[in-house]
């Protein structure tokens, strides 16, 4: 069974006074296997953020179902959704979303504290993780004292510390310089090698070229997908940019 | 089009920022009303006709100055808050291509609008509310003569002038802010990186010590005079302590909590503690301000209410008889006074009753052991110390004493009886120069006075065998002094209605003044009227300033809530994304806000509890010694204040939740 199964997902936004209806997702179905590294690409307005919000259980779809490890997350009660999100999903956002009232260490601990884990265990999990992500030196600092790359690695640590089934990343390299971005992508590849499933939404070809599979969304539908197979990053890069060009110039679906 | 563009933009800006500008304009209007009301009372000629008007006018004048200073500080405070909030908006204008001079022009027009609205409404409100308050003041003063209330043109001009100056200065500081900042700074003005607040143990310790000294002084004050002198010293220590503890102590405490890992890493404490550290850092000064303002409100209103409520009783303590006259026992002064009392009594229908007439000798001396030492202090050296240590001695012949207290005690040449106000005279003997007496009896009651402790110095009544002994004592103590005459004293109560009693007193006073201005005279009713004007004035000013401070407190709380709201909105979102549910977030944040805003009230209540002793002592200086009454007044005032505070909190918390949602 797949780790994540998305079945004919549909999302229609209605403007506040009921006038216009905007279809953000018309019919999206795909699945993610355990240990996969999937990138979802698409232009602004293609519906990829809506998709991610639904997967993150931050938003409810108008139609369709999402199964995570066999549980339908669309049907989870509001009162349990936060705990579900905390225990099963890890998030990495474009703008880091670190709390400036907490030190780096406390930011990473946040989801564990919310799950009422004892301090010893939190500390035990943090040690190897922070070392791996290269942030073990700055644990006592505060978000405004560190660089963007460090902030994003902190966010990754926060996402990983709960041992989530799935990491959801929304434009994780969007606010980083190229060096920091490459560094982060390398980390993503490494944790994926170690068995972590990752789903990343991105604009960046460089970011997507690290994934094992790339899904393209256009106008709320899956347009195409590319499997890495035996391609290296550069070849993957070429393939993705070609697909995007076709996408932009209005190619036929399924090509 | 250019001409209308800027005023129009300014108007739009004000409308868009109504959330913060409406309270600001209300503050301005309130301050103007308060200032004009005070200054128009001060300039009101009608009040001059009132007995004791000089005291009242002094109080009003001080009030005007306090309000002026307070308004200035407070308007600057709110203005700086507003401009900080709007930096982003101004930065945007700058990026959209407005030059600094254009932004300045917009700010100028905004200030013009605010000024016009505030001054018009403020002065109109001042005239209307001033009239209402004027009637209230007259009622408090027990002053019934209807006096024309008029619009004080000079007051209007002064008020307008002062507030124009204040607005002009705020505009200048805004210009300066815009001039110094570049667009990027302006854009980011609202969200500059916040440093982890530093807590200094030294400052905390300093605060604790300061507060300790303040409280210590408050708790150990012994005499009313000391209370008045040391009160301000204590206040300064407490203020320093409050600021130090709010800014540094609170953070130090939270950091200790944070160090305790098993406490800190609990979901319930984790967010609260670190959130509180940041809140305290940003709000510490504001909260300390609220705490001190609240304390001021509570102390001022409690004391003035106590004074006002207790004044008739305290006047009674001071005036054992309704009227008294004491004059030289030479010529026919006494006969003339008697005659005038008789005549006036017939005219006004007021009867003098319980009358006591007696001879008496008076001297001042310093009591050392059982020795009364002569008072040789030169007039210009008579300082507070002199007045607190001297003893007023009244010498009364036995015959007169027996008559007034209806007794038949006998004394020989070398025996005396003594009635000492306050503490008992504890010696067996007493000596004046070479002359010694043995004390036959320590009287516990005395027709002419009560036993309650004097505010300043000591008073004792010594009963001796006869007038010859009085002369002897005076000669022994002051051999060189030539004027050692015997005095006559007249003490009596009045029977009639209160108004005619006052008329009688004033009438007789006037006649006695004509007979011999050196005759000492006192009347409970004349003094009561004077004291009403003083305590009524105090109460009025107390409540007036109290209300003003409260208004300031309300606004500080409101602005704080708003600014908290803007900042918490982002935090709120992040926490939800990371896996905290809405209800939980709301609960945590609600708890923090509650703690932050009730901290000053708690602080103020503690301050007042410690200040109570000093307050009671100070009121004793006004001869208000009824501690129970003061306690009740203080508790009632505190409760009412807490209620209003809670209402304000509730109202501003609503504004806050509207923002974070």
């Amino acid at each position: 069974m797949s780790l994540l199964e998305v079945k004919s997902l549909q999302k229609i936004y209605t403007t506040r006074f009921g006038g216009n209806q905007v279809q953000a997702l018309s019919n999206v179905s795909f699945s993610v296997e355990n240990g996969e590294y999937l990138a979802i690409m698409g232009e602004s307005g293609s519906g990829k953020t809506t998709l991610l919000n639904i997967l993150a259980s931050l938003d409810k779809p108008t139609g369709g179902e999402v199964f995570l490890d066999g549980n339908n997350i669309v049907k989870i009660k509001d009162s349990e959704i936060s705990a579900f999100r905390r225990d099963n999903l890890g998030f990495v956002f474009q703008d880091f979303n670190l709390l400036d009232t907490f030190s780096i260490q406390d930011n990473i601990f946040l989801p564990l504290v919310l799950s009422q884990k004892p301090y010893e265990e939190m500390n035990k999990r943090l040690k190897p993780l922070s070392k791996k992500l290269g942030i073990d030196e700055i644990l006592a600092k505060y978000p405004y004292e560190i660089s963007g790359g460090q902030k994003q690695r902190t966010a990754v640590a926060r996402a990983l510390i709960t041992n989530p089934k799935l990491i959801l990343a929304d434009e994780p390299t969007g606010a980083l310089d190229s060096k920091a971005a490459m560094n982060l992508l390398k980390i993503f590849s490494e944790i994926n090698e170690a068995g972590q499933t990752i789903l990343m939404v991105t604009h960046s070809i460089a970011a997507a070229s690290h994934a094992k599979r790339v899904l393209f969304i256009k106008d709320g539908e899956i347009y195409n997908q590319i499997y890495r197979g035996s391609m290296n990053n550069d070849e993957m890069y070429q393939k993705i940019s070609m697909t995007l060009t076709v996408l932009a110039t209005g190619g036929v679906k399924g090509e | 089009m250019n001409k209308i563009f800027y005023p129009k933009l300014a108007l739009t800006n004000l409308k868009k920022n109504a959330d913060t500008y409406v309270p600001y304009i209300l503050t301005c209007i309130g301050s103007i009303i308060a200032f004009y009301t005070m200054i128009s009372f001060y300039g009101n000629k009608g009040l001059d006709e009132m007995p004791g008007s000089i005291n009242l006018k002094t109080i009003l004048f001080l009030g005007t100055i306090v309000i002026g200073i307070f308004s200035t500080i407070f308007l600057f405070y709110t203005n700086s808050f507003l401009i900080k909030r709007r930096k982003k908006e101004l930065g945007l204008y700058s990026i959209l291509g407005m030059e600094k001079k254009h932004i300045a022009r917009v700010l100028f027009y905004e200030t013009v609008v605010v000024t016009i609205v505030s001054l018009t409404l403020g002065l109109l409100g001042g005239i209307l509310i001033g009239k209402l308050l004027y009637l209230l003041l007259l009622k408090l003063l027990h002053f019934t003569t209807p006096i024309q209330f008029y619009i004080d043109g000079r007051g209007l001009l002064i008020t307008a002038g002062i507030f124009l100056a204040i607005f002009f200065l705020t505009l200048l500081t805004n210009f300066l802010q815009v001039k110094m900042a570049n667009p990027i700074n302006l854009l980011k003005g609202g969200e500059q990186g916040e440093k982890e607040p530093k807590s200094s143990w030294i400052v905390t310790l300093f605060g604790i010590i300061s507060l300790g000294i303040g409280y210590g002084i408050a708790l150990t004050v012994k005499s009313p005079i000391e209370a008045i002198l040391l009160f301000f010293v204590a206040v300064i220590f407490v203020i320093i302590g409050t600021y130090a503890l709010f800014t540094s102590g609170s953070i130090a405490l939270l950091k200790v909590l944070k160090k305790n890992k098993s406490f800190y890493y609990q979901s319930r404490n984790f967010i609260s503690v670190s959130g509180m550290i940041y809140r305290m850092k940003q709000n510490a000064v504001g909260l300390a301000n609220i705490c001190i303002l609240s304390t001021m409100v509570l102390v001022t209103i409690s004391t003035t209410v106590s004074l006002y409520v207790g004044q008739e009783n305290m006047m009674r303590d001071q005036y054992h008889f309704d009227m008294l006259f004491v004059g030289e026992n030479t010529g026919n002064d006494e006969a003339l006074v008697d005659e005038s009392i008789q005549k006036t009594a017939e005219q006004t229908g007021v009867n003098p009753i319980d009358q006591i007439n007696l001879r008496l000798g008076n001297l001042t001396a310093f009591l050392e052991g059982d020795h009364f030492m002569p008072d040789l202090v030169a007039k210009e050296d008579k300082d507070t110390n002199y007045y607190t240590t001297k003893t007023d001695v009244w010498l009364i012949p036995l015959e007169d004493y027996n008559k007034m207290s209806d007794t038949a005690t006998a004394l020989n040449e070398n025996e005396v009886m003594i009635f000492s106000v306050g503490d008992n005279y504890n010696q067996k003997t007493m000596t004046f120069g070479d002359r010694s007496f043995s004390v036959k009896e320590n009287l516990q009651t005395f027709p002419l006075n009560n036993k309650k402790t004097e505010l300043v110095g000591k008073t004792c009544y010594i009963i001796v065998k006869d007038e010859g002994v009085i002369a002897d004592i005076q000669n022994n103590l002051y051999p060189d002094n030539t004027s050692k005459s015997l005095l006559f004293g007249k003490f009596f109560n009045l029977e009639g209605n209160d108004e005619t009693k006052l008329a009688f007193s004033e009438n007789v006073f006037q006649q006695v003044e004509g007979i011999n201005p050196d005759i000492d005279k006192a009347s409970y009713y004349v003094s009561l009227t004077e004291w009403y004007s003083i305590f009524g004035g105090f109460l009025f000013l107390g409540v007036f300033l109290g209300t003003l401070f409260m208004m300031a407190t309300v606004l500080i709380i409101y602005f704080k809530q708003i600014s908290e709201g803007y900042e918490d909105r982002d935090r709120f979102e992040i926490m939800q994304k990371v896996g905290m549910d809405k209800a939980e977030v709301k609960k945590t944040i609600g708890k923090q806000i509650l703690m932050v805003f009730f901290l000053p009230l708690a602080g103020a209540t503690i301050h007042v509890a410690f200040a109570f002793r000093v307050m009671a002592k100070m009121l004793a200086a006004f001869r208000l010694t009824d501690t129970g009454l003061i306690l009740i007044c203080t508790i009632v005032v505190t409760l009412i204040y807490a209620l209003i505070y809670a209402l304000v909190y509730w109202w501003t918390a609503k504004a806050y939740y509207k923002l974070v949602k």
Side-chain angles (χ1 to χ4, degrees):
Chain A
M1 194 177 61
S2 310
L3 176 67
L4 181 73
E5 267 195 70
V6 178
K7 288 184 179 165
S8 47
L9 209 55
Q10 195 186 35
K11 176 74 185 178
I12 297 169
Y13 288 108
T14 312
T15 48
R16 194 186 296 193
F17 301 108
N20 293 333
Q21 292 201 331
V22 180
Q23 185 150 40
L25 296 176
S26 49
N27 181 17
V28 174
S29 301
F30 66 94
S31 60
V32 182
E33 300 302 321
N34 227 329
E36 231 192 328
Y37 185 176
L38 175 70
I40 296 177
M41 293 197 81
E43 301 203 336
S44 299
S46 60
K48 52 184 198 308
T49 304
T50 308
L51 176 63
L52 194 76
N53 280 343
I54 293 171
L55 296 183
S57 63
L58 291 168
D59 205 348
K60 296 264 182 204
T62 328
E65 286 166 325
V66 179
F67 290 96
L68 182 70
D69 220 8
N71 298 313
N72 189 346
I73 66 169
V74 178
K75 295 262 164 64
I76 293 177
K77 274 187 249 156
D78 271 351
S79 53
E80 292 161 10
I81 214 150
S82 292
F84 171 82
R85 199 183 300 149
R86 214 157 53 207
D87 295 339
N88 296 293
L89 302 172
F91 296 92
V92 181
F93 303 94
Q94 175 176 2
D95 49 1
F96 323 129
N97 277 338
L98 299 180
L99 290 165
D100 54 6
T101 53
F102 285 119
S103 67
I104 298 308
Q105 168 171 321
D106 289 349
N107 261 297
I108 298 172
F109 279 167
L110 185 62
L112 290 185
V113 174
L114 292 176
S115 314
Q116 321 239 359
K117 293 272 184 305
Y119 174 70
E120 289 70 32
E121 195 193 327
M122 297 196 278
N123 216 13
K124 218 167 70 197
R125 287 197 202 178
L126 178 70
K127 283 243 163 79
L129 191 59
S130 59
K131 201 154 193 142
K132 194 164 81 184
L133 294 173
I135 48 173
D136 50 338
E137 307 265 298
I138 53 163
L139 286 175
K141 294 201 167 173
Y142 280 78
Y144 47 81
E145 293 173 310
I146 62 175
S147 72
Q150 288 171 322
K151 280 186 199 172
Q152 197 58 299
R153 277 180 274 149
T154 305
V156 173
R158 182 178 64 188
L160 284 174
I161 200 158
T162 56
N163 299 325
K165 293 181 178 132
L166 178 64
I167 292 267
L168 293 173
D170 184 7
E171 297 280 8
T173 58
L176 301 179
D177 62 77
S178 61
K179 206 172 149 223
M182 286 315 290
N183 195 340
L184 184 77
L185 291 169
K186 217 176 100 210
I187 287 170
F188 269 28
S189 297
E190 278 167 21
I191 58 177
N192 176 246
E193 298 287 307
Q196 177 67 55
T197 320
I198 300 173
L199 192 156
M200 170 170 71
V201 163
T202 186
H203 250 117
S204 153
I205 305 173
S209 64
H210 281 70
K212 286 186 181 158
R213 176 159 66 114
V214 182
L215 269 179
F216 295 89
I217 290 195
K218 189 183 180 184
D219 301 329
E221 282 179 73
I222 305 271
Y223 179 82
N224 195 1
Q225 59 178 328
I226 299 173
Y227 285 91
R228 174 190 285 271
S230 59
M231 280 186 276
N232 65 22
N233 284 358
D234 288 338
E235 288 161 351
M236 190 73 176
Y237 192 101
Q238 295 293 332
K239 188 92 196 263
I240 294 170
S241 35
M242 269 163 55
T243 313
L244 283 175
T245 315
V246 175
L247 205 71
T249 50
V252 187
K253 188 185 169 187
E255 193 271 330
Chain B
M1 119 122 202
N2 242 0
K3 262 187 196 152
I4 328 172
F5 176 70
Y6 291 106
K8 224 173 155 184
L9 187 59
L11 264 180
T12 323
N13 283 347
L14 292 180
K15 265 188 222 152
K16 262 195 335 228
N17 288 303
D19 253 5
T20 43
Y21 266 87
V22 169
Y24 175 61
I25 292 177
L26 286 179
T27 318
C28 298
I29 294 175
S31 310
I32 293 171
I33 290 178
F35 190 84
Y36 170 73
T37 307
M38 261 312 146
I39 205 168
S40 72
F41 286 2
Y42 176 64
N44 192 315
K45 300 227 164 36
L47 288 177
D48 289 344
E49 293 165 18
M50 206 179 65
S53 70
I54 296 178
N55 299 319
L56 179 68
K57 289 257 159 143
T58 314
I59 297 171
L60 290 174
F61 181 65
L62 287 175
T64 312
I65 291 177
V66 169
I67 293 174
I69 294 173
F70 183 73
S71 306
T72 316
I73 295 173
F74 194 63
L75 290 187
F76 265 89
Y77 173 83
T78 31
N79 175 66
S80 80
F81 169 85
L82 291 182
I83 208 73
K84 248 185 238 158
R85 274 257 71 78
R86 295 187 54 204
K87 271 193 174 163
K88 201 167 193 165
E89 178 189 330
L90 298 179
L92 191 64
Y93 286 140
S94 183
I95 282 178
L96 291 178
M98 265 170 125
E99 284 169 41
K100 277 179 181 168
K101 69 175 183 203
H102 297 136
I103 295 181
R105 206 174 291 176
V106 175
L107 289 178
F108 169 75
Y109 280 113
E110 283 175 17
T111 310
V112 167
V113 174
V114 170
T115 309
I116 291 174
V117 173
S118 309
L119 271 183
T120 318
L121 292 180
L123 291 178
L124 277 178
I127 291 167
L128 285 175
I129 292 177
K131 174 154 186 152
L132 261 166
L133 288 175
Y134 186 68
L135 294 175
L136 178 74
L137 176 65
L138 291 186
K139 181 126 184 77
L140 286 177
L141 301 179
H142 286 233
F143 192 45
T144 40
T145 326
I147 301 169
Q148 188 71 38
F149 179 79
Y150 67 103
I151 294 169
D152 182 4
R154 199 181 56 130
L156 285 178
L157 278 179
I158 294 176
T159 313
I162 284 181
F163 280 86
L164 275 176
I166 294 177
F167 286 129
F168 180 68
L169 286 175
T170 57
L171 180 64
L172 279 188
T173 56
N174 290 353
F175 281 171
L176 213 67
Q177 289 264 359
V178 173
K179 194 172 159 52
M180 300 221 289
N182 63 42
I184 303 291
N185 278 348
L186 282 177
L187 263 180
K188 288 192 175 163
E191 43 179 287
Q192 262 155 19
E194 294 164 7
K195 280 260 160 60
E196 155 86 335
K198 285 205 176 64
S199 73
S200 144
W201 282 105
I202 297 171
V203 176
T204 307
L205 201 67
F206 176 71
I208 292 173
I209 293 172
S210 225
L211 202 63
I213 294 175
Y215 282 172
I217 293 174
L219 287 181
T220 52
V221 149
K222 286 200 182 63
S223 73
I225 288 284
E226 216 184 12
I228 293 173
L229 290 176
L230 288 177
F231 181 69
F232 290 98
V233 181
V235 165
I236 288 167
F237 274 112
V238 170
I239 289 181
I240 293 172
T242 308
Y243 277 105
L245 286 185
F246 265 88
T247 50
S248 211
S250 60
I251 290 169
L253 178 73
L254 288 166
K255 284 204 167 165
V256 170
L257 291 180
K258 201 172 160 180
K259 285 224 176 79
N260 182 350
K261 298 256 188 288
S262 54
F263 174 85
Y264 178 55
Y265 288 108
Q266 298 281 323
S267 62
R268 153 171 101 251
N269 306 327
F270 189 57
I271 292 164
S272 302
V273 171
S274 44
M276 282 293 281
I277 290 183
Y278 268 81
R279 268 180 219 281
M280 283 317 291
K281 192 224 167 187
Q282 289 173 319
N283 296 324
V285 175
L287 293 177
N289 283 338
I290 297 179
C291 180
I292 287 176
L293 278 177
S294 301
T295 314
M296 274 157 76
V297 172
L298 291 177
V299 170
T300 337
I301 299 187
S302 302
T303 44
T304 48
V305 167
S306 304
L307 272 179
Y308 191 76
V309 174
Q311 63 185 332
E312 288 199 23
N313 282 335
M314 61 207 235
M315 290 301 292
R316 256 309 157 209
D317 285 346
Q318 204 167 359
Y319 291 81
H320 211 62
F321 283 86
D322 285 352
M323 290 194 91
L324 71 85
F325 296 97
V326 175
E328 298 266 330
N329 193 29
T330 49
N332 54 354
D333 282 1
E334 187 179 3
L336 287 171
V337 171
D338 274 336
E339 194 184 312
S340 113
I341 293 171
Q342 191 69 35
K343 214 171 63 196
T344 321
E346 278 162 23
Q347 283 165 4
T348 54
V350 171
N351 282 327
I353 51 167
D354 313 326
Q355 193 156 355
I356 293 174
N357 291 312
L358 75 163
R359 310 294 108 197
L360 68 177
N362 176 227
L363 53 87
T364 55
F366 292 101
L367 184 57
E368 284 171 21
D370 71 338
H371 273 71
F372 283 88
M373 312 299 288
D375 164 21
L376 302 172
V377 179
K379 206 168 181 180
E380 59 272 18
D381 291 336
K382 289 184 177 171
D383 53 10
T384 337
N385 188 37
Y386 166 81
Y387 286 104
T388 43
T389 50
K390 67 157 189 171
T391 304
D392 248 323
V393 181
W394 296 91
L395 301 161
I396 295 160
L398 179 67
E399 189 193 344
D400 288 346
Y401 169 74
N402 277 337
K403 208 166 81 192
M404 66 177 154
S405 55
D406 208 15
T407 47
T409 327
L411 290 174
N412 69 34
E413 285 282 324
N414 297 318
E415 278 179 339
V416 294
M417 291 191 289
I418 182 165
F419 173 78
S420 169
V421 176
D423 298 334
N424 280 331
Y425 178 77
N426 286 324
Q427 312 287 332
K428 293 255 179 322
T429 55
M430 67 173 69
T431 309
F432 298 89
D434 300 331
R435 189 82 151 84
S436 288
F437 298 89
S438 66
V439 176
K440 189 184 179 195
E441 198 184 336
N442 232 314
L443 298 169
Q444 292 309 311
T445 57
F446 192 66
L448 298 184
N449 210 334
N450 55 34
K451 190 91 178 119
K452 288 192 180 172
T453 312
E454 287 284 326
L455 163 61
V456 179
K458 277 192 64 65
T459 302
C460 63
Y461 298 83
I462 297 170
I463 292 112
V464 298
K465 184 164 181 289
D466 53 28
E467 289 168 20
V469 180
I470 296 179
D472 203 21
I473 289 175
Q474 287 177 327
N475 280 328
N476 263 296
L477 205 57
Y478 298 105
D480 305 326
N481 199 329
T482 43
S483 63
K484 294 160 231 162
S485 57
L486 206 59
L487 306 170
F488 72 83
K490 265 181 198 318
F491 300 75
F492 54 93
N493 289 321
L494 298 176
E495 196 182 57
N497 67 44
D498 279 4
E499 265 168 55
T500 45
K501 280 176 185 170
L502 177 62
F504 173 90
S505 308
E506 284 171 339
N507 210 327
V508 176
F509 267 25
Q510 216 167 11
Q511 294 176 41
V512 171
E513 188 74 23
I515 296 166
N516 184 347
D518 289 339
I519 297 176
D520 276 338
K521 46 196 175 292
S523 157
Y524 170 72
Y525 295 98
V526 171
S527 300
L528 191 61
T529 324
E530 278 174 17
W531 283 105
Y532 261 121
S533 79
I534 293 175
F535 294 150
F538 272 152
L539 177 67
F540 181 76
L541 194 71
V543 174
F544 195 87
L545 288 180
T547 317
L548 197 70
F549 290 154
M550 199 131 77
M551 188 179 87
T553 313
V554 169
L555 274 148
I556 295 179
I557 296 179
Y558 178 79
F559 285 134
K560 284 250 157 286
Q561 291 273 39
I562 296 273
S563 57
E564 296 271 295
Y566 280 116
E567 274 153 29
D568 285 341
R569 187 158 51 184
D570 303 336
R571 228 165 275 154
F572 204 82
E573 269 170 25
I574 297 177
M575 285 188 204
Q576 281 180 13
K577 281 182 187 166
V578 176
M580 205 172 171
D581 62 52
K582 241 182 200 157
E584 226 174 328
V585 174
K586 196 171 162 179
K587 216 171 75 192
T588 338
I589 293 191
K591 202 170 78 184
Q592 283 176 42
I593 300 244
L594 203 72
M595 266 163 80
V596 166
F597 286 98
F598 281 91
L599 204 63
L601 185 65
T605 314
I606 295 170
H607 284 347
V608 171
F610 275 98
F612 183 77
R613 197 187 145 89
V614 185
M615 278 160 62
K617 286 284 175 199
M618 283 211 308
L619 290 175
F622 293 96
R623 284 196 161 247
L624 179 64
T625 46
D626 187 348
T627 316
L629 174 88
I630 304 173
L631 187 65
I632 291 171
C633 288
T634 310
I635 290 176
V636 170
V637 169
T638 310
L639 284 179
I640 292 175
Y641 186 77
L643 188 74
I644 295 174
Y645 196 95
L647 281 175
V648 169
Y649 166 75
W650 175 74
W651 167 62
T652 55
K654 263 182 21 187
Y656 168 84
Y657 281 119
K658 214 175 84 190
L659 275 177
V660 287
K661 253 186 194 155

